[in-house]
Amino acid sequence: MGLIGPILVEQIISPRNLDISAPCARNVRLQRRLAAAFLFLALTVLAPAEDPLHQQDDQIFPLPLQRGAIVLDNPSGSIHVYGWYEPRVRLTALRNAYTAPRLAQVRVETESRPDALVIRTSIPPVRGLFADRSGTVDYSLNVPETARLTLRLGDGEVSLQGLRGGSATIEMMNGRVFVTNCFAQVKARSVNGAMDLFYEWWENAPAMIDFALQHGRIGARLPAGAQFRVDAQTAHGRIGNGFKLVPRNSGDGQSLQSATRADAPVAFQFRTEGGNISIDSFR
């Protein structure tokens, strides 16, 4: 495989192929073949020959059970948050890159305060046609279940599980959001992707789940006995549900403002410009 590129170039640039008296059309074809050959060689040399390199770091930070705040900024990768009833944060950061020098440039910066933890991902930009632009960080955090979270992610995946009485604000560009068993205030905004909500069991504990997505689908899967209020709208799409709630047509899309119980402490607000919304039930 390594000889294909040199042989191809040698054939193309051999004297018999570079007849300057050849017709113009032939010269154009030769130029295109030569350009394609060099592109092939460049891609062959630059293509990663091995899997990405990884480096994992684990840290523990104190954070009060009540009103502790966490801010995390990550341009690319993932953020997975798990609630627990402990006055501290356990942070695992998995840094990824294709080369050792680039992996050393990907940094996780933290600032711990008595009532807050700030986490920043630093991935310096690079210049040059053949520069290594790789670099992502995958975060996993155990946090007090009542924590106030602000999570910002460029591209990737965010998941929340087991928040109770806390809050989370999620801002991202492209990717997926998963919220599982959270009785909390959750607000998520994204441009492209999907957002999913799932409850393995049901409690009539206060919660507000607010999803807004420009392009993509929103889905919720709830126990058949769930008691909730819902305000859902899609500009271009359909709304389906397994709770016999009847949506209304709204131009190219549909809207649904209803409840399984008028005074239910759990409320959902779902918005998508282009995509479907589903609220499924299971027993």
Side-chain angles (χ1 to χ4, degrees), residues 244-264:
K244 299 181 180 180
L245 306 176
V246 181
R248 297 194 304 268
N249 288 329
S250 176
D252 294 335
Q254 291 186 325
S255 63
L256 173 64
Q257 289 83 32
S258 190
T260 59
R261 196 184 88 186
D263 59 346

Side-chain angles (χ1 to χ4, degrees), residues 19-136:
D19 183 3
I20 61 174
S21 64
C24 180
R26 183 182 176 189
N27 287 338
V28 171
R29 289 197 299 271
L30 289 175
Q31 292 173 3
R32 290 177 178 174
R33 291 171 61 189
L34 186 60
F38 280 111
L39 178 60
F40 172 84
L41 289 176
L43 293 176
T44 301
V45 172
L46 295 175
E50 300 179 355
D51 292 334
L53 303 176
H54 309 284
Q55 179 67 52
Q56 180 172 308
D57 302 299
D58 299 281
Q59 300 180 75
I60 299 289
F61 301 93
L63 195 71
L65 285 172
Q66 301 296 328
R67 307 300 294 172
I70 300 171
V71 177
L72 196 161
D73 285 285
N74 190 17
S76 183
S78 63
I79 303 172
H80 303 287
V81 178
Y82 306 91
W84 65 356
Y85 199 73
E86 298 285 344
R88 60 183 181 271
V89 175
R90 180 167 63 196
L91 171 67
T92 298
L94 182 66
R95 296 180 289 117
N96 314 286
Y98 276 112
T99 62
R102 185 58 172 170
L103 185 63
Q105 292 180 328
V106 178
R107 300 190 308 275
V108 174
E109 302 171 349
T110 60
E111 179 183 351
S112 181
R113 307 168 189 165
D115 60 349
L117 174 64
V118 178
I119 306 163
R120 301 183 185 90
T121 306
S122 175
I123 304 179
V126 293
R127 297 181 178 179
L129 179 61
F130 303 131
D132 182 1
R133 292 176 172 80
S134 65
T136 63

Side-chain angles (χ1 to χ4, degrees), residues 126-162:
V126 293
R127 297 181 178 179
L129 179 61
F130 303 131
D132 182 1
R133 292 176 172 80
S134 65
T136 63
V137 180
D138 297 312
Y139 289 99
S140 178
L141 300 90
N142 290 87
V143 307
E145 59 186 18
T146 56
R148 295 175 290 122
L149 301 163
T150 300
L151 309 175
R152 291 186 282 264
L153 177 67
D155 302 309
E157 178 179 299
V158 175
S159 70
L160 303 177
Q161 182 173 330

Side-chain angles (χ1 to χ4, degrees), residues 160-176:
L160 303 177
Q161 182 173 330
L163 298 183
R164 296 184 62 88
S167 66
T169 299
I170 302 169
E171 301 173 4
M172 61 189 305
M173 289 295 296
N174 307 291
R176 302 191 67 180

